[in-house]
Amino acid sequence: MAEPRIGGPPPAPRTATRLLAVWMRHWRVYSDSLVANATPAVLEPLLLLLAVGIGVGRYIDARFNDLPYEEFMAAGILGMTALYTAAFEATHATFVRLRFQRAYASMLNAPLTPRDVFAGELLWCASKGLLYTTIVAAVLTVAGAVSSPWVALAPVAGFVTALAFAGLGFLVTSVVTNIAQFQFFFTAGLTPMVFFSGLMFPVQELPTPLREIAYCTPMFHVIETFRLLVSGPAHASVSWTWASPLVVLATALVLGALGVLRIERRLVR
């Protein structure tokens, strides 16, 4: 029988408890202005569906992947929602907490390690992706832009997608020295990736070199994963779409781990 502990510091909380504490800290801060914070992330993709998918779609006779235009766009809108939700949180918000608020330095006064701080934040980014994907998927379903019951798994895909792009965001945040530098990442990196990965038109319509590049981007596989869930495998863009969920999961694990390792080094410098 173990001897009772007498004196000395209490044992450190378990890893899960430490990560949950970081997650709860972010939730409490975020929920203070939940409606204001959530409105852009939810409203912008829905406005895109209304303006382009339904508005412009009325004047397009062709069916993309044998789908109405608004349903073709629905998969990309879900992917875009998860991507930008995580990317903004892991870049601008993380940089502000790191450089201006010094929030992480305060968090380290608790029994947390730098890895706990950013692993918890990574889960927070992924949770936001899950939340917003759920809301947007529900609205798309009500709007008639969904035809597969597998859309119930869209929140899971949103979580994994957000995990991947939060990790990528951490990698970028670990090297920028000025918050304005994030414009290069969003304008020259994420925006072309989103719009040339099957959001508004099939990737097959691109010239061969650009099409091959698009196939190699994580966003193409994200959109194909959501299209499987929104419309079913009969409307996939390529014969090997079944591999896209595996690619997204592998990307999330790799980028998530690398992002946490890289950003924690900046915190301890």
Side-chain angles (χ1 to χ4, degrees):
M1 183 175 177
E3 293 290 331
R5 173 183 290 271
I6 301 176
R14 294 179 299 175
T15 300
T17 302
R18 301 197 302 270
L19 298 184
L20 180 61
V22 175
W23 191 96
M24 287 300 301
R25 180 268 175 198
H26 291 310
W27 167 250
R28 287 170 180 166
V29 172
Y30 189 77
S31 61
D32 283 343
S33 304
L34 180 60
V35 174
N37 286 324
T39 297
V42 174
L43 195 58
E44 287 175 7
L46 297 180
L47 288 175
L48 180 63
L49 176 70
L50 290 172
V52 181
I54 297 177
V56 177
R58 294 179 58 190
Y59 301 95
I60 298 176
D61 294 329
R63 290 168 66 90
F64 297 105
N65 290 22
D66 197 31
L67 291 169
Y69 191 52
E70 62 270 20
E71 185 172 343
F72 176 83
M73 283 191 62
I77 288 173
L78 287 170
M80 183 181 70
T81 299
L83 180 152
Y84 280 119
T85 296
F88 274 110
E89 186 71 21
T91 52
H92 290 89
T94 296
F95 188 86
V96 168
R97 286 191 284 265
L98 183 68
R99 176 66 68 87
F100 302 113
Q101 295 179 347
R102 304 290 182 182
Y104 301 128
S106 299
M107 292 166 71
L108 291 177
N109 290 324
L112 297 171
T113 67
R115 187 162 302 178
D116 294 332
V117 169
F118 289 110
E121 181 148 335
L122 184 73
L123 293 176
W124 166 246
C125 294
S127 299
K128 286 184 66 178
L130 183 153
L131 173 63
Y132 293 151
T133 302
T134 302
I135 296 172
V136 174
V139 176
L140 292 176
T141 302
V142 172
V146 171
S147 61
S148 171
W150 288 103
V151 73
L153 293 177
V156 178
F159 181 92
V160 178
T161 299
L163 199 70
F165 285 97
L168 181 60
F170 282 165
L171 289 173
V172 174
T173 305
S174 70
V175 298
V176 300
T177 57
N178 187 300
I179 198 168
Q181 293 171 345
F182 287 124
Q183 299 307 318
F184 295 108
F185 174 55
F186 283 93
T187 304
L190 294 186
T191 299
M193 187 191 305
V194 168
F195 285 103
F196 289 93
S197 294
L199 170 62
M200 293 185 174
F201 58 87
V203 171
Q204 295 89 327
E205 300 298 325
L206 291 170
T208 300
L210 292 179
R211 183 169 67 244
E212 298 303 321
I213 292 173
Y215 287 157
C216 295
T217 64
M219 193 58 185
F220 171 78
H221 298 281
V222 166
I223 293 178
E224 283 301 293
T225 298
F226 277 109
R227 188 159 289 130
L228 285 173
L229 301 178
V230 169
S231 304
H235 303 286
S237 299
V238 291
S239 60
W240 39 270
T241 292
W242 60 268
S244 289
L246 301 178
V247 173
V248 176
L249 178 59
T251 302
L253 294 176
V254 172
L255 288 180
L258 291 177
V260 169
L261 290 174
R262 190 67 182 84
I263 193 71
E264 71 171 283
R265 292 177 187 172
R266 177 163 185 171
L267 181 59
V268 300
R269 284 206 298 253

